[in-house]
Amino acid sequence: MSLPKKHNKETKRLLKEVPTDIIAQWLLEEGFYPEQYVMPPSFQVKKMELQDDPYFIVDTTGAQQKFDPERSELVNVSFPKSELTDRTFGIISPKIYHDIVWYLMNEWDLVIKTIFNPLNKIYSYSFPIPISKNNEGSLGHLRAGRMIYEFLEMAETALVAEAYNYKYILKTDIKNFYPSIYTHSIAWAIHTKEVIRKKGNRTDFVNFLGLKLDRLFQSANDGCTNGIAIGPAISDLTSEIILSSIDTASSKVIDTKGIDYIGVRFKDDYRFLCQSKQDANFIIKTIQKQMALFNLTLNESKSQIDELPEGLFREWTADYQPFSLRYKRKINYKRFENSLRGTLKVDKKYEGTGVVDRFLSELSTKDNNLKFDFKDNDLLKAISLLLLLKERRNKSFPQILGIIEKIIEENKDKVRTINKIKLILENLLNEKFKNIEDNQYDLIWLIYFVRSLELFPIVYPSKIKSPMITSLKSNRLDFFKPLPAEIKLFETIKSPGRNTDLLTHLDLFKKSDE
C-alpha cells in the first residue's frame, strides 16, 4: 500500500473516532473566521453552539418545497496578491454558517462517504479538520494556514519515498478555484448530476443535502451561484467534497487504461507520479475533462511534466537552506541581515512561495522569544528592513508586527528606542489612512496592534466604510447586526499584557531551538 493511500485510510479512521458534536463545535468556533494571518485576534468566536434546530428550515407546506434562507452579503477583507490582483477572504453570516454546519452534521456519514470514496485513487492531504494520532477522538486548533506547510511537507515526503518506482512527475492546479466554484456543483458532487436533474429532484430540499448547501452558500453571497467564500473552514470542507467527487471520477477513467500512477492533492494543487509522458498527458486531460463538468478548469501556465527527480521537491527550500536561522539560538544583526538578503533573492527567484513566512518564523524560538542579539540602533534598522520586506509579501505583515511587538516587550525600558518605534508606526498608520480602501488589511492589523499595546492615540478619518475597522475603533463587532443572543463573535481589546500576543496567534511553522 502506498504512503498516500495509508494517509488517506488513517485520516478516515481518525475522523470516524471524533464525535460529530466535537466536529461541529470546532467548525463553529475555530472555523468561522478565515485563517489567523487574515484577521487580528479580536475577531474570534467567543460563543456559538450548534442549536437543536437550524435557523432556516425547508418549507414543505405547499405543493412544492421551498428553502429560502435570509440573504446576506459576505464581509470581505483583501490584501494585494500582486500588483494587479487581490486575494479576498470572506466572512459568512453566522446564522447561515451555523446552518451549513448543522446540515452537514445531520448527514455526516454521507459527507464522509463522498470525501473518502474507496474508488478514489487521488489522495487528499488537505482535509481541513485537524485530527491527530496523538489525540484520537478529539481535535486540535490547527487551521489550514499552518496545515498547508505541514501537509505539503508530508505529501512531498510521501512522493519522494515512492518516486523510485516511477519516471515522471506531473504537477498542476485549478485556475481561480474558490471564486470559480459553481454552488449547484455541490449537489452534483454529493448526489451526482444525473440524480439531481431527474424530474422532481431539483427542488427536493428535504432529501438532498447538496441542494440545501447550494442554497445556503448562495444566500451567504447575496444569491450568487458563482464562487464561495475563501477562508471559512466550511468552504474548505465543501471544496474537499467537490474535488473528491472529481478525483473519484478521474480515477475511474484513468483505471480503465491500466495506468500505473500515484496521485496526491493539497486543496487545488495536484501531483502525480507516473511512468511516461503519455500517461501524464492522459491523466491531465482526464482531470481537465472532469473539471469542466463542474465548471472548473486547470491552470495551464502552472501545469508541467518533469523527468524525475526534477520537479519532486519545492526548489526554494534548497536555495533557502544556507540562509535558514531555524537551528540558531541567537543571531546578531549581521547574520539577520545576511539571512534577510538571502530570503529576498530566493523570493525573487521563486515568486509566491512561503520563503518569507519561513524566514520570519525563524526569528523567534518555539516559545516565541526573539533570537535577536542586537544593539539599539540595530533594532531600528531591523524594523525598517522588516517593514520593507512586507512589500514583497503582504500577508507577512501580521508576522512582522508580531516581531515588533516582541521587540517592544523585550526593550520596554529603553524609552528612546521605543519612542522611535512608536513614531515609525504612527507615521505608517497615518499614511495608510490616506487610502483606506486599498489598505484595509494593513489597517486592521495596525489598529489592533496600536490599541492592544496602547502605543499612542489613534486619530481616525471622519468617514470609514470598513466594518472591520469600525469594529476595532469601537471595540465591538460592527457587522451582522443584530446578532442572536447565543452568538458572540468579537473579543474586546484589553489593556497591554492581557491580549493574545501576535506570534502566538500566528504560529505557522514548527520551530526548533536545537
Side-chain angles (χ1 to χ4, degrees), residues 18 27 152 167 176-178 207 223 228 234 252 263 290 310 312 337 347 353 358 418 428 435 437 458 471 478 489 497:
V18 184
L27 287 169
L152 273 176
K167 296 178 181 178
N176 204 28
F177 179 42
Y178 281 79
N207 291 309
I228 64 174
I234 52 168
K252 291 177 182 178
Q290 297 302 323
E310 294 297 321
L312 196 55
E337 185 181 290
D347 183 65
T353 64
R358 175 75 70 180
I418 298 302
L428 179 62
N435 187 349
E437 186 175 348
I458 298 175
S471 295
D478 199 27
L489 305 177

Side-chain angles (χ1 to χ4, degrees), residues 23 25-39 43-45 87 89-92 97 125-131 139-152 178 229-237 266-267 395 504-509:
I23 294 171
Q25 204 59 35
W26 185 90
L27 287 169
L28 291 169
E29 292 183 353
E30 304 290 342
F32 176 76
Y33 281 114
E35 296 154 21
Q36 290 94 324
Y37 69 87
V38 180
M39 312 281 289
F43 297 98
Q44 61 174 285
V45 175
R87 184 165 178 79
F89 294 85
I91 307 168
I92 294 172
Y97 187 96
Y125 278 78
S126 51
F127 189 73
I129 298 172
I131 50 179
L139 298 174
H141 297 277
L142 206 60
R143 282 295 303 276
R146 168 76 176 267
M147 289 164 71
I148 189 170
Y149 299 108
E150 295 195 1
F151 281 107
L152 273 176
Y178 281 79
I230 299 174
I234 52 168
S235 293
D236 295 334
L237 184 58
F266 184 88
K267 290 196 172 184
K395 67 173 283 190
T504 299
H505 176 71
L506 296 163
D507 199 7
L508 291 178
F509 289 92

Side-chain angles (χ1 to χ4, degrees), residues 203-339:
T203 57
D204 189 358
F205 294 102
V206 169
N207 291 309
F208 291 104
L209 168 65
L211 293 177
K212 291 189 282 283
L213 296 178
D214 172 15
R215 187 60 60 85
L216 284 163
F217 273 105
Q218 286 182 49
S219 299
N221 195 16
D222 199 27
C224 294
T225 56
N226 281 326
I228 64 174
I230 299 174
I234 52 168
S235 293
D236 295 334
L237 184 58
T238 301
S239 73
E240 282 297 310
I241 291 171
I242 293 170
L243 291 184
S244 294
S245 178
I246 292 172
D247 294 346
T248 299
S250 299
S251 298
K252 291 177 182 178
V253 175
I254 296 168
D255 280 352
T256 63
K257 295 294 183 180
I259 292 174
D260 178 18
Y261 73 99
I262 291 178
V264 300
R265 175 177 57 76
F266 184 88
K267 290 196 172 184
D268 58 347
D269 191 15
Y270 286 87
R271 299 284 187 275
F272 292 89
L273 298 176
C274 50
Q275 299 292 0
S276 68
K277 285 187 176 180
Q278 290 79 7
D279 288 348
N281 283 322
F282 183 83
I283 289 170
I284 197 169
K285 287 178 181 177
T286 298
I287 294 174
Q288 179 60 73
K289 286 179 182 177
Q290 297 302 323
M291 290 283 175
L293 297 176
F294 283 72
N295 291 9
L296 298 170
T297 184
L298 293 179
N299 196 334
E300 190 173 344
S301 65
K302 292 186 178 180
S303 301
Q304 64 184 76
I305 301 168
D306 291 308
E307 188 171 0
L308 293 171
E310 294 297 321
L312 196 55
F313 302 96
R314 288 168 291 161
E315 295 297 328
W316 70 265
T317 58
D319 283 14
Y320 173 67
Q321 195 58 41
F323 308 107
S324 174
L325 302 171
R326 182 176 181 180
Y327 297 107
K328 300 293 181 183
R329 290 180 179 272
K330 286 289 183 181
I331 54 174
N332 59 31
Y333 176 77
K334 186 175 181 181
R335 182 62 192 257
F336 162 82
E337 185 181 290
N338 181 63
S339 183

